[in-house]
């Protein structure tokens, strides 16, 4: 058995959601003769078939087994009208949790529910309520696998590339093609023949019926007919709810290939055996079944080997087996029984005894989800691919927790916290004993490097779950009608919360390491290098490596501090809005204009090193262009440039020969565009002068004027930084003259700053800022409060003067030059703390928040009170399914305006599970759009993350979930 429905042909390439090519599977009796079909015959057949073909829109809600989370189109067709059963591919039904709808040819859309997916072969069934189809008359498509034959003219009726209807012609060329090998680490069919034909198909054709001129589906698997009969028997009438039904499937956990007699002779087949087999086989038989692979620890392991030729089963002459279908029938009917297989191994006859295992018992039907990680028992599919025993703890998605530890997808977990893990139950038992934040060793194996076990440290975090609920388990087994345990009234996969470890989450976690040791409290460091410079000996004990983790990403960078204040680790004090540094407690000499400096820092392996260099430019204006999508950019900032390129991986501090800090040597990120469609991220390093940090540092030490933040159990007021929300850039005075700058102003600015000899110009204003409608691009800022300005620090000094009470309000009086005219403007300033975003809401798998500065820096906000900004979306979510992607604002929900998060939360709280919602959005490019979305509170409850200044931690709150 195999792929019963895909549209035809090794020559036809098809881009389905799993990247499979187009082949048809078939196991048949001897072909019947076909009458010559006329065009009228085909017209009548197609008129009956087309209404019974449906477009399937499926969403895999979680990564599971061989499939990733995601949304896709496919095709199915009605095989039982009265009971409401749709036949399609296994990879369409999905091996794990799925949400799906079917759209008929008249555009009626109805919900459908998975009732069976074969563990091995590529067919599965959806069910639907027949009474839900109100406006279409249609008939079911009969199944006739016995009608397939070489030369049979066929039609493929389906949904090519999401189209409404597509009909393609072809001719069956072969009935015994080997099952194709799709992926090394994904779904593959086996122990079956495929039909081959030539036809051109595209993505979305999976599940299309292949019909003859009588309107019968001919290219399908005989096993699907058997499975359908079981389903039909379980449903007495069209009003019945789905019932649990057992479809027997057995396995020996091994793979056969059908090989010709010529090759089998070379494997050692005796001539007398060949004569017996040819005599007992149907006419036209050309080969026998040969063992190709055996899954470790399976029923056939240690009994059968690759190259063994199968002769008989259970010793009867009538049981000479050369076809997959007959063998599979015996195995399916013999679950729990013993089979005697007569084989030949290198010309030697042997008899082996094997027990038939229930295939559903090794097909996973539950999974653990924690911190975005999805783990379930290793399936027979992946066990065959990777040659590992079934049932091991398999990582279907590393999520946040394992990805940051370097554990890849498809990994097999062997140990956690030094305890052996033989399966998912062991893993759950170990995790339930660990508290959040515990850092434990984890040992895993990878099929790509199977002979070496790898060890990493994993930080347990039960709270960060981008995809919804903390822990999921769907029980019991796949032998029932539906996937796992389901509420047959609501057709929902039941979740069992096995761990309830909800604890606050820090929005940013900093972990300090020194000399390869993780520090939680450190009073001093004694590591000194005997042959190092004075600067290195003075600075090296204070160098620390920080690992910064923001949900799904993490970065390494070097900062410095004094030994007396190392207790502040795991806390950030202030994060200035427009400048690229994180401020930690320290007190160091603050100087700038130096020539000879030492760059002292730590490498990734925590080796302290120093390099001597010369400052070539102590006040180079930083210029980072806009990226394709909103991302942080350091603006209005001057940096130090050196005459030596130390690369982008070496960071630390710039000091003089006495070890006094002059600057932080830090990295910046920019995006280099090669064309309109091609770009690449690039990192570079520059020195950040300490004078740019000193003002904030002084406020932290003396006590800030902003909201209090809990630091190591003590509430400390944080500073508020006053800023002018305008992006500026310098222009040389020689060039500014061409834009109308007068000689008088040139002399004033040269006298003010004879080194820089520049004037500041407006590059843009942040959307929603007080300067947005006052300053224009290209304006030259000549003076602030009647004082000439030539650099960014002059603007900052004017802002600080407002806080010191030098002026009566929050406004700056700017003297600007616009198109040759000198203008006086009064422009407001804003106060910002270092918290940045303090609240996000995850609704239907999209993360919304107030527009952050990187978005506002692009200069656009929607009208009508803005809206909530979609900053990201999750695979397999309703947002993914219906196209609610990032880079747009949600401005209305069902006609209710959502100018802020409070309004958005109120609007979404009223929505129920399964309800269609009308969303009005505005894209970053200004284009408005209206879309509909079906809310799914079961897999994607609505929740929020809020930063709590009382604890300096983030808290997760459920706003709306399925009760």
């Amino acid at each position: 058995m195999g792929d019963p429905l895909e549209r035809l042909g090794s020559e036809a390439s098809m881009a389905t959601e799993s990247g499979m090519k187009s082949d048809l599977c078939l196991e048949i009796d001897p072909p019947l003769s076909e009458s010559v079909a006329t065009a009228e015959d085909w017209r009548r057949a197609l008129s009956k078939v087309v209404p019974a073909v449906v477009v399937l829109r499926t969403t895999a809600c979680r990564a599971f087994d061989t499939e990733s989370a995601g949304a896709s189109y496919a095709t199915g067709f009605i095989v039982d009208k009265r009971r409401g059963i749709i036949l399609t591919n296994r990879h369409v039904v999905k091996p794990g949790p799925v949400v799906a709808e079917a759209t008929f040819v008249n555009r009626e859309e109805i919900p459908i529910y998975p009732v069976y997916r074969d563990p091995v072969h590529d067919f599965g069934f959806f069910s639907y309520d027949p009474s839900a189809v109100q406006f279409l008359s249609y008939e079911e498509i009969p199944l006739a696998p016995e009608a397939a034959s070489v030369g049979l003219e066929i039609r493929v009726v389906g949904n090519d590339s999401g189209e409404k209807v597509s009909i393609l012609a072809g001719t069956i060329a072969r009935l015994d093609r080997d099952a194709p090998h799709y992926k090394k680490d994904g779904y593959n069919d086996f122990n079956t023949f495929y039909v081959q034909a030539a036809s051109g198909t595209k993505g979305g054709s999976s599940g299309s019926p292949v019909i003859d001129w009588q309107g019968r589906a001919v290219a399908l698997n005989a096993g699907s007919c058997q499975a359908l009969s079981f389903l039909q028997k379980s449903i007495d009438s069209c009003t019945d709810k789905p019932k649990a039904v057992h479809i027997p499937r057995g396995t020996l956990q091994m793979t056969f290939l059908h090989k010709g007699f010529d090759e089998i002779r070379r494997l050692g087949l005796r001539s007398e055996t060949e004569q017996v087999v040819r005599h007992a086989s149907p006419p036209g038989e050309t080969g026998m079944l040969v063992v190709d692979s055996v899954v470790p620890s399976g029923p056939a392991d240690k009994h059968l080997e690759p190259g063994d030729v199968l002769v008989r089963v259970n010793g009867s002459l009538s049981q000479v087996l050369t076809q997959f279908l007959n063998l599979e029938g015996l195995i399916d009917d013999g679950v729990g029984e013993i089979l005697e297989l007569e084989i030949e191994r290198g010309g030697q006859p042997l008899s082996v005894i094997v027990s038939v295992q229930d295939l559903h018992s090794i097909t996973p039907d539950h999974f653990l989800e924690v911190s975005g990680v999805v783990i379930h028992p290793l399936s027979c599919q992946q066990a065959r691919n990777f040659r590992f025993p079934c049932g091991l703890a398999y990582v279907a998605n590393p999520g946040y927790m394992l990805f940051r530890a370097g554990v890849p997808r498809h990994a097999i977990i062997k140990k956690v916290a030094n305890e052996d893990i033989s399966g998912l139950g062991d893993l759950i038992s170990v995790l339930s004993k660990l508290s959040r934040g515990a850092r434990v060793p984890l040992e895993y194996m990878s099929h790509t490097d199977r002979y070496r076990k790898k060890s990493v440290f994993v930080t347990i975090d039960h709270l960060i779950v981008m995809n919804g609920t903390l822990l999921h388990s769907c029980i019991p087994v796949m032998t029932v009608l539906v996937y796992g345990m389901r509420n047959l009234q609501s057709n929902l996969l039941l979740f069992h919360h096995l761990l309830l470890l909800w604890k606050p989450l820090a929005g940013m976690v900093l972990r300090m390491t020194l000399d390869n040791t993780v520090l939680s409290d450190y009073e001093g460091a004694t590591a000194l290098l005997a042959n190092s410079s004075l600067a290195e000996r003075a600075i090296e004990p204070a160098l620390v490596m920080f690992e910064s983790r923001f949900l799904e990403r993490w970065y390494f960078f070097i900062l410095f501090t004094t030994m007396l204040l190392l207790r502040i680790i795991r806390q950030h004090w202030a994060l200035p809005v427009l400048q690229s540094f994180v401020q930690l407690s320290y007190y160091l000499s603050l100087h700038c204009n130096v020539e000879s400096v030492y760059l002292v820092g730590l490498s990734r392996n925590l080796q302290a090193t120093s390099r001597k260099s010369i400052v070539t430019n102590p006040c180079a204006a930083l210029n980072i262009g806009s990226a394709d999508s909103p991302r942080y950019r350091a603006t209005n900032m001057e940096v130090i440039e050196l005459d030596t390129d130390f690369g982008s991986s070496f960071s630390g501090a710039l000091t003089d020969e006495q070890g006094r800090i002059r600057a932080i040597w830090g990295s910046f990120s920019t995006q280099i565009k090669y064309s309109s469609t091609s770009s690449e991220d690039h990192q570079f390093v520059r020195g950040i002068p300490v004078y740019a940090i000193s003002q904030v540092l002084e406020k932290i030490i003396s006590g800030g004027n902003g909201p209090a933040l809990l630091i190591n159990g003590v509430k400390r007021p944080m500073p508020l930084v006053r800023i002018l929300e305008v992006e500026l850039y310098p222009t040389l005075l020689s060039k500014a003259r061409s834009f109308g700058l007068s000689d008088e102003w040139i002399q004033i600015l040269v006298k003010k700053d004879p080194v820089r000899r520049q004037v500041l110009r407006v590059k843009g204003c942040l959307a929603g800022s007080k300067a947005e409608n006052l300053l224009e691009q290209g304006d030259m800022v000549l003076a602030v409060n009647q004082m000439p300005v030539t650099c960014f620090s002059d603007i900052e000094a004017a802002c600080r003067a407002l806080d010191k009470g030098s002026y009566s309000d929050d406004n700056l009086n700017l003297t600007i030059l616009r198109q040759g005219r000198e203008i006086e403007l009064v422009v407001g300033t804003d106060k910002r703390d270092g918290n940045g975003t303090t609240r996000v809401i995850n609704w239907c798998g999209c993360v919304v928040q107030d527009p952050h500065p990187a978005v506002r820096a692009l200069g656009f906000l929607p009208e009508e009170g803005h809206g909530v900004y979609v900053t990201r979306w999750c695979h397999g979510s309703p947002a993914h399914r219906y196209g609610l992607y990032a880079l747009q604002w949600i401005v209305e929900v069902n006609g209710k305006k959502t100018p802020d998060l409070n309004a958005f939360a109120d609007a979404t709280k009223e929505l129920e599970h399964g309800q269609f919602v009308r969303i009005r959005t505005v894209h970053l490019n200004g284009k408005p759009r209206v879309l509909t979305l079906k809310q799914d509170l079961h897999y994607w409850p609505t929740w929020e993350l809020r930063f709590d200044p009382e604890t300096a931690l983030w808290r997760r709150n459920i706003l709306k979930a399925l009760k």
Side-chain angles (χ1 to χ4, degrees), residues 69-83:
S72 59
Y73 284 96
T75 305
F77 60 98
I78 310 299
V79 292
D80 193 312
K81 173 183 177 181
R82 184 171 67 87
R83 298 174 179 87

Side-chain angles (χ1 to χ4, degrees), residues 18-31:
S18 58
M20 297 181 179
K21 291 185 177 179
S22 177
D23 292 283
L24 302 174
C25 72
L26 181 67
E27 292 176 17
I28 61 172
D29 296 327

Side-chain angles (χ1 to χ4, degrees), residues 909-929:
K909 283 180 182 178
E910 300 175 0
L911 306 175
E912 299 300 329
H913 173 73
Q915 179 179 347
F916 271 97
V917 187
R918 187 178 69 257
I919 307 296
R920 182 170 176 264
T921 66
V922 178
H923 195 271
L924 188 61
N925 61 16
K927 182 180 180 179
R929 180 189 179 202

Side-chain angles (χ1 to χ4, degrees), residues 413-421 427 430-431 434 440-443 460:
I413 298 178
K414 302 298 293 182
K415 283 187 178 182
V416 174
N418 297 317
E419 295 192 33
D420 291 333
I421 304 297
L427 180 61
V430 172
L431 291 179
L434 301 175
V440 297
L442 181 146
E443 187 177 281
I460 304 300

Side-chain angles (χ1 to χ4, degrees), residues 640-657:
I640 296 174
E641 294 180 342
L642 304 180
D643 68 344
T644 307
D645 183 6
F646 294 112
S648 59
S649 61
F650 185 69
S651 57
L654 291 180
T655 77
D656 58 18
E657 292 189 357

Side-chain angles (χ1 to χ4, degrees), residues 279-295:
H279 177 74
S281 300
E285 181 58 74
T286 60
M288 299 174 67
L289 298 179
V290 179
V291 176
D292 179 60
S293 65
V294 179
V295 177

